[in-house]
């Protein structure tokens, strides 16, 4: 599979919105990432232009993410990077970068978090739930 996988550290810029597509839960939010670099001339850290990504999470990640994620939270998102091109209301062609998340977690370099394990449902994958499968 020739997919571009990325891991991005940033801040949730919009309220995460949960909806259903063909009966499947999908969570969507915008992720803002502002790269920083050290300017040796001034001796100070300088922010670069903020990069924005649309993030979508499907199924259990969406269901677990909805009560866990809030606008302004620092997060780390890992997933498949894609882009789409469209013409906006002003007639300008825009490229939108989007990440289909495989995993999302709070950025613990910015604070602390408490983990609450979700209940397992029928047909769930025990290895994905953190349980060890019987040999």
């Amino acid at each position: 599979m020739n997919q571009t996988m990325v891991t991005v550290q940033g801040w949730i810029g919009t309220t995460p919105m949960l909806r259903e597509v063909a009966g499947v839960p999908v969570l969507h939010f915008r992720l803002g990432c502002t790269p920083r670099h050290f300017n040796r001339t001034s001796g100070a850290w300088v922010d670069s232009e903020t990069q924005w990504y649309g993030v979508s999470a499907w199924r259990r990640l969406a269901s677990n993410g909805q009560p866990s994620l809030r606008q302004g939270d620092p997060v780390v998102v890992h997933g498949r990077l894609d882009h789409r091109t469209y013409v906006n209301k002003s007639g300008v062609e825009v490229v939108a970068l989007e990440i289909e998340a495989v995993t999302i977690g709070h950025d613990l370099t910015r604070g602390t978090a408490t983990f609450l394990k979700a209940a397992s449902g029928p047909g769930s994958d025990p290895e994905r739930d953190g349980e060890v499968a019987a040999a």
Side-chain angles (χ1 to χ4, degrees):
M1 297 193 327
N2 293 325
Q3 299 173 337
T4 303
M5 301 297 287
V6 295
T7 301
V8 181
Q9 176 186 12
W11 302 84
I12 297 178
T14 58
T15 301
M17 301 299 293
L18 184 67
R19 61 187 173 93
E20 285 196 7
V21 175
V24 177
V26 181
L27 184 69
H28 182 79
F29 59 88
R30 301 274 295 154
L31 180 68
C33 307
T34 306
R36 297 183 61 131
H37 68 277
F38 187 75
N39 183 323
R40 292 181 186 220
T41 305
S42 68
W45 287 94
V46 179
D47 288 342
S48 298
E49 187 174 340
T50 300
Q51 302 166 2
W52 289 97
Y53 300 89
V55 177
S56 60
W58 292 76
R59 299 175 185 76
R60 286 185 66 178
L61 183 55
S63 298
N64 291 338
Q66 194 277 326
S68 304
L69 302 171
R70 300 283 175 261
Q71 182 175 358
D73 283 356
V75 293
V76 177
V77 175
H78 178 74
R80 289 176 280 281
L81 180 65
D82 200 1
H83 74 283
R84 64 184 173 87
T85 304
Y86 65 95
V87 177
N88 68 13
K89 293 177 184 176
S90 302
V92 177
E93 187 173 86
V94 177
V95 175
L97 296 173
E98 300 177 346
I99 301 171
E100 183 180 332
V102 173
T103 188
I104 302 170
H106 283 103
D107 182 351
L108 299 181
T109 65
R110 307 283 182 192
T112 62
T114 302
F115 181 77
L116 178 63
K117 185 175 177 181
S120 297
S124 65
D125 181 352
E127 288 185 1
R128 298 280 303 175
D129 293 337
E131 301 170 8
V132 178

